[in-house]
Amino acid sequence: MKLIVNADDFGYSRGANYGIVDAFKNGVIRSTSIMAGMPGYEHAVELLKGCNGLGCGVHLTLSAYKPVLNTHKTIVDENGYFYKKITPEVAKNIDIEEVYNEFCAQIEKVKASGIDITHLDSHHHVHTFEALRPVMERIIKTYPYPIRGGLEYKLDYEKVLPYEGIFYEETVSIDAFRNLKDKLDKYDVLETMSHPAYLDSFIMENSSYNIKRIEELKILTSIELKSFLKENNIELCNYRDIFKN
């Protein structure tokens, strides 16, 4: 059985970056995904250079901070910031060409930073929305990276990885991983997300999901979790280990 515990929000802030690196070096994280438009992006890129074995994807973003491009009309507010919440209903009323162009710009920025991209996922799971299916169909033709599953739609693409969101909010506990074992038996490999971080002012001022991040970090670096995974022959990996070139 193989498990990817992806650390979302790499690049969100310095506190998030340090937490993710700690969870890799001292815990169960082998995969992360970076946010190209966030203030901690360059810091994350530098830290990644010292993390051999940590796979890094792109955390496609439409609902946090600023876009990479500054030409948008329908996906930003009057100050040029992304709207903080993009629901499937809201997604129906935005210009999907802007979304496609922004996603491409984010991917290209990460590539230009020298990161060997392992996969694509998204902030607030926006890539899974039915309304953005045309965008993702174009993205995987242009950038045929593996993508996180959990889609609301069917996608004719062999690189969609099964996903279970078992470690978030009230489910942040080691029991989340114990309960995952039955699901792992149904798959060769499964992914779940996480958001480990050390708290800083940017996280506290901009994310409603804050204190839980430090709780996640404690669990993800715990001897108890590492022992459980080893005892149950659950192999930690990243997308590159599954989708080898």
Side-chain angles (χ1 to χ4, degrees):
M1 294 178 288
K2 294 183 178 180
L3 176 64
I4 296 175
V5 186
N6 190 81
D8 290 15
D9 295 358
F10 198 38
Y12 190 93
S13 70
R14 294 175 70 88
N17 297 342
Y18 282 129
I20 289 168
V21 169
D22 194 359
F24 164 65
K25 293 185 174 180
N26 300 299
V28 303
I29 295 299
R30 301 293 179 271
S31 177
T32 189
S33 43
I34 195 166
M35 305 173 81
M38 298 301 290
Y41 175 77
E42 298 296 342
H43 180 244
V45 171
E46 286 303 309
L47 289 180
L48 191 62
K49 294 175 182 178
C51 296
N52 186 39
L54 177 61
C56 185
V58 181
H59 201 50
L60 300 169
T61 303
L62 287 179
S63 54
Y65 204 60
K66 292 182 177 181
V68 170
L69 300 177
N70 61 5
T71 55
H72 304 309
K73 304 297 183 183
T74 70
I75 61 176
V76 294
D77 63 20
E78 63 275 12
N79 297 311
Y81 287 84
F82 283 130
Y83 297 107
K84 291 185 177 181
K85 189 70 172 178
I86 300 292
T87 64
E89 193 63 32
V90 171
K92 294 178 182 178
N93 299 314
I94 61 180
D95 184 343
I96 61 173
E97 191 68 21
E98 287 187 2
V99 177
Y100 174 75
N101 290 336
E102 176 61 26
F103 281 177
C104 288
Q106 292 178 17
I107 293 168
E108 289 296 335
K109 182 176 178 178
V110 175
K111 288 176 61 179
S113 295
I115 294 174
D116 184 10
I117 297 170
T118 58
H119 71 286
L120 305 175
D121 56 40
S122 65
H123 195 55
H124 296 152
H125 305 289
V126 294
H127 81 286
T128 70
F129 296 167
E130 173 67 39
L132 296 185
R133 175 179 178 173
V135 174
M136 295 311 299
E137 288 176 338
R138 290 175 67 186
I139 286 290
I140 60 175
K141 289 179 180 178
T142 307
Y143 305 100
Y145 299 117
I147 65 172
R148 174 183 288 170
L151 308 176
E152 294 178 355
Y153 52 87
K154 290 184 179 180
L155 190 62
D156 184 18
Y157 189 55
E158 70 279 5
K159 296 181 183 179
V160 179
L161 196 70
Y163 167 79
E164 291 284 348
I166 54 92
F167 192 65
Y168 190 73
E169 292 282 10
E170 67 274 3
T171 61
V172 172
S173 72
I174 193 164
D175 286 338
F177 291 92
R178 294 192 180 103
N179 297 335
L180 187 63
K181 188 175 184 302
D182 291 338
K183 295 179 180 179
L184 277 169
D185 291 339
K186 301 176 184 178
Y187 302 102
D188 293 327
V189 60
L190 189 66
E191 183 200 2
T192 192
M193 69 176 181
S194 65
H195 301 82
Y198 289 107
L199 300 183
D200 57 23
S201 59
F202 187 83
I203 290 176
M204 296 304 295
E205 293 168 5
N206 292 277
S207 175
S208 60
Y209 194 73
N210 42 55
I211 300 300
K212 282 290 183 180
R213 293 176 187 259
I214 198 74
E215 294 180 23
E216 287 195 21
L217 179 58
K218 181 178 179 180
I219 293 167
L220 294 171
T221 56
S222 68
I223 294 175
E224 185 179 7
L225 177 56
K226 288 184 281 188
S227 297
F228 168 77
L229 296 175
K230 183 177 181 180
E231 291 165 3
N232 287 276
N233 298 313
I234 298 173
E235 180 184 348
L236 296 168
C237 60
N238 61 45
Y239 275 82
R240 184 174 291 110
D241 299 324
I242 305 304
F243 299 96
K244 296 181 173 67
N245 294 330

